[in-house]
Amino acid sequence: MVTAEPREAHGHRGGTGEPALYECLVTHVRTRPLRHTVRHRTYMWLVDVDRLPRLPRMLRPLARFESRDHFGGTAPTIRAGLERFLAARGFGPPAGQVLMLANARVLGHVFNPLTLYWCHDRGGEETCVVAEVHNTYGERHCYLLHPDESGSATTGKEFYVSPFFPVDGAYRMRLPRPGTALSLSVRLVRAGGSPFIATLRGRRRPATTAGLLRAALRHPWPTAAVTAAVRLHGVRLYLRGLPVRPRPRHRVQEGLE
């Protein structure tokens, strides 16, 4: 049986904190200068960072959540990494629940192109969203967002992700907190239009032992498959003549050291 760890002694956090699984369809649409669409199916976890899933011993290789995989990778917990990032921007620690949507470490491998953290106050009101982006070069960058009532926010692009786009323009993100359904989007906006949009759609499933086993059988080693797919489609675009943009030197953000 999959359960949640006991809540850490940080005071009242609000929310049940029970983990959930989302069976997801990820779609990437590139419109310029070449038209190219990529779709793949996977599953993701929605967890309370103070009550991470506790799995039976035999299933632990299928889902591990480790602080080294998030933020600077040096904090003792994922929440501590989040709080360090927020403190560097003049924000105090979230007084309420923090929900994280992410891939787990599976069979020793993890890759999270996008991890999202919905931060709440003691009354359960959302205070901010942190979007943590990883590229395939092992680099990380976080965006602090304050979405409107529809869950939408805009932020400047500051991080090299695709080798086919320079670091310019802005992201328009729609990031409503997941419920029964998951519906997120990230649109890149550059001069002259929007050359790229990524969407994530999913349905909530109970994070039971049986549910995890079904998801793992449908999508074995899911994060390794995502990494391989990203690289494969990059090769295809390169062979179609799409020019590679030089990767600038990555400057580690304050709070992610």
Side-chain angles (χ1 to χ4, degrees):
M1 179 177 182
V2 179
T3 59
E5 293 180 355
R7 190 173 299 282
E8 296 182 8
H10 291 138
H12 176 68
R13 296 290 182 194
T16 64
E18 295 303 318
L21 293 169
Y22 284 85
E23 292 274 356
C24 300
L25 174 64
V26 182
T27 304
H28 291 180
V29 178
R30 184 184 299 269
T31 61
R32 295 184 307 166
L34 297 174
R35 182 81 183 184
H36 187 75
T37 300
V38 178
R39 294 184 180 89
H40 70 269
R41 294 189 179 275
T42 188
Y43 65 95
M44 298 185 73
W45 288 83
L46 183 70
V47 301
D48 182 328
V49 298
D50 295 316
R51 302 188 66 205
L52 296 174
R54 176 181 287 177
L55 278 68
R57 186 177 298 276
M58 293 295 291
L59 293 184
R60 289 175 191 172
L62 296 181
R64 297 183 66 89
F65 297 89
E66 301 183 6
S67 59
R68 62 175 167 150
D69 298 325
H70 300 279
F71 299 102
T74 59
T77 64
I78 296 174
R79 174 179 270 273
L82 170 66
E83 291 180 355
R84 184 184 296 175
F85 169 77
L86 292 173
R89 278 138 198 86
F91 286 84
Q97 186 181 46
V98 176
L99 292 175
M100 176 177 77
L101 181 73
N103 292 310
R105 180 175 284 270
V106 179
L107 301 177
H109 184 274
V110 67
F111 176 57
N112 269 298
L114 177 65
T115 303
L116 293 169
Y117 305 86
W118 286 270
C119 303
H120 302 85
D121 62 21
R122 289 185 183 274
E125 294 296 318
E126 184 179 298
T127 57
C128 68
V129 176
V130 174
E132 179 186 4
V133 182
H134 291 207
N135 63 24
T136 56
Y137 305 98
E139 299 166 342
R140 308 174 184 186
H141 189 89
C142 292
Y143 297 93
L144 176 58
L145 307 169
H146 297 281
D148 61 21
E149 292 183 357
S150 71
S152 299
T154 300
T155 184
K157 182 182 178 183
E158 301 172 345
F159 184 53
Y160 185 90
V161 179
S162 167
F164 305 110
F165 287 121
V167 182
D168 67 4
Y171 288 125
R172 290 179 184 165
M173 303 186 186
R174 186 176 179 277
L175 309 172
R177 189 175 71 178
T180 303
L182 174 68
S183 180
L184 312 176
S185 65
V186 178
R187 181 184 298 270
L188 175 63
V189 180
R190 301 183 66 215
S194 178
F196 176 83
I197 182 171
T199 60
L200 178 63
R201 305 278 188 263
R203 300 294 296 179
R204 187 183 182 107
R205 300 286 184 263
T208 61
T209 298
L212 175 57
L213 287 173
R214 282 194 298 269
L217 287 172
R218 290 192 191 104
H219 313 287
W221 220 3
T223 61
V226 170
T227 303
V230 169
R231 296 186 185 280
L232 175 61
H233 286 285
V235 170
R236 289 178 176 173
L237 288 169
Y238 178 75
L239 293 177
R240 289 178 64 186
L242 201 60
V244 172
R245 304 285 184 158
R247 178 162 61 101
R249 181 179 178 274
H250 176 60
R251 181 178 62 84
V252 178
Q253 284 178 289
E254 185 181 0
L256 298 190
E257 298 92 340

